[in-house]
Amino acid sequence: MAERTETGYLFGGLGWSRTRPVQFAVGGNGNIRGQGAAGGVFTGGLSGVAFGEGVALVSRVTQGCQPVAAEHTVTAADGNVLLKLDGEDALDVLLDDVHISLDQPREAMGVLRATLVGLSDPGDEGGKRTGHFGSDVLVRHIIGLDPMRRGVAIADRPAVGTRVAFCQRNVAAARADLMRICAEIREELSPEELEPAPMLSSDAPGGLDAAPGAATPAGAQPPTGRRICGAIYVSCTGRGGPHFGGPSAELQIVRRALGDVP
């Protein structure tokens, strides 16, 4: 799908299940170009929204996780199982990083269920920042332990050289990181550019310009600054409102930061 776009850039989330995942779709009744009238329950494929070249985007990613220890480098792996980190058994590194022992399995399982792993390629910023991961980090679940090989199974297939940081969801870090990315989006637009415009379309990367022919008061110059026309926020079931303290809490943070945009 990325290869079919001008930018090669996709973002969002994927739905999955223990059996074959399904999607529910409303038919376009022939009104949506390329869709036809098909509707119902489908398997496979992707769902979402695609923006044409007439719409410029500013996007950010927030992971909402906080590293619990220093980064490590994958020195041995077998498929989705981390075997060695910095030359040490991956399971021993994990237990040391989160300060637990398998001699107390009940307590250990509680901690492990709340622990994830952040993956980044060599040379990326990864988990070097304090308090949050950068957008180059992929956060994946720990899905099992391999006591025989002292390995850790994760929901990905990391290559040797991949950087790894064990992490946990943290409410304070998640709120701060969400506010940070909203501030970065606003900083791409100067304050005077955030004033409302009569009609909006895109003209430059990173923002939206007043549409040609938009109505302006007599004698006034058409606005030339970039505008926020609307925002789309993709969340996941692992965080959402309860993680932030209440229903729609994430969107309330976004709206306070970006203003009253659709």
Side-chain angles (χ1 to χ4, degrees), residues 181-251:
I181 65 169
C182 290
E184 288 181 359
I185 290 174
R186 286 186 62 90
E187 286 171 3
E188 291 203 17
L189 310 174
S190 62
E192 61 271 16
E193 290 176 335
L194 292 173
E195 296 300 322
M199 293 178 60
L200 303 175
S201 70
S202 72
D203 191 38
L208 299 174
D209 284 345
T216 56
Q221 294 296 318
T224 58
R226 297 177 295 175
R227 305 293 196 276
I228 297 178
C229 189
I232 294 177
Y233 184 74
V234 182
S235 187
C236 78
T237 56
R239 38 192 285 173
H243 183 64
F244 283 82
S248 302
E250 287 176 287
L251 290 180

Side-chain angles (χ1 to χ4, degrees), residues 17 36 43 52 82 96 103 112-113 178 193 215 229 241 247 249:
S17 69
T43 60
L82 298 170
D96 185 61
D103 294 334
L112 289 174
R113 289 191 183 101
L178 184 56
E193 290 176 335
C229 189

Side-chain angles (χ1 to χ4, degrees), residues 2-260:
E3 291 174 351
R4 295 173 62 183
T5 69
E6 286 289 327
T7 62
Y9 181 60
L10 305 177
F11 70 94
L14 295 176
W16 196 250
S17 69
R18 297 188 181 190
T19 59
R20 186 169 57 176
V22 299
Q23 298 186 54
F24 299 87
V26 177
N29 296 322
N31 296 323
I32 302 177
R33 182 180 178 183
Q35 184 191 34
V41 182
F42 296 84
T43 60
L46 298 172
S47 63
V49 58
F51 293 98
E53 60 182 8
V55 179
L57 301 177
V58 177
S59 64
R60 291 292 188 278
V61 175
T62 173
Q63 302 287 9
C65 293
Q66 192 170 36
V68 297
E71 269 189 343
H72 308 284
T73 300
V74 177
T75 49
D78 180 13
N80 67 316
V81 181
L82 298 170
L83 295 177
K84 298 285 185 180
L85 298 176
D86 301 329
E88 303 290 333
D89 289 336
L91 179 55
D92 294 334
V93 174
L94 167 61
L95 297 178
D96 185 61
D97 279 0
V98 298
H99 308 294
I100 59 174
S101 169
L102 295 183
D103 294 334
Q104 298 175 310
R106 185 182 299 273
E107 291 80 2
M109 286 301 103
V111 173
L112 289 174
R113 289 191 183 101
T115 303
L116 303 96
V117 57
L119 307 174
S120 55
D121 294 330
D124 290 338
E125 292 183 2
K128 291 184 178 179
R129 300 180 184 181
T130 58
H132 67 269
F133 284 134
S135 60
D136 53 308
V137 176
L138 299 176
V139 176
R140 296 292 185 258
H141 285 280
I142 295 174
I143 59 176
L145 305 180
D146 187 342
M148 294 295 294
R149 295 187 292 175
R150 309 299 293 173
V152 179
I154 65 174
D156 210 312
R157 299 174 66 88
V160 170
T162 300
R163 299 214 311 273
V164 168
F166 295 109
C167 57
Q168 294 176 344
R169 289 193 174 96
N170 180 282
V171 175
R175 291 178 65 92
D177 201 33
L178 184 56
M179 295 172 65
R180 173 189 64 83
I181 65 169
C182 290
E184 288 181 359
I185 290 174
R186 286 186 62 90
E187 286 171 3
E188 291 203 17
L189 310 174
S190 62
E192 61 271 16
E193 290 176 335
L194 292 173
E195 296 300 322
M199 293 178 60
L200 303 175
S201 70
S202 72
D203 191 38
L208 299 174
D209 284 345
T216 56
Q221 294 296 318
T224 58
R226 297 177 295 175
R227 305 293 196 276
I228 297 178
C229 189
I232 294 177
Y233 184 74
V234 182
S235 187
C236 78
T237 56
R239 38 192 285 173
H243 183 64
F244 283 82
S248 302
E250 287 176 287
L251 290 180
Q252 291 172 19
I253 294 173
V254 172
R255 173 153 290 186
R256 282 196 296 270
L258 295 184
D260 191 16

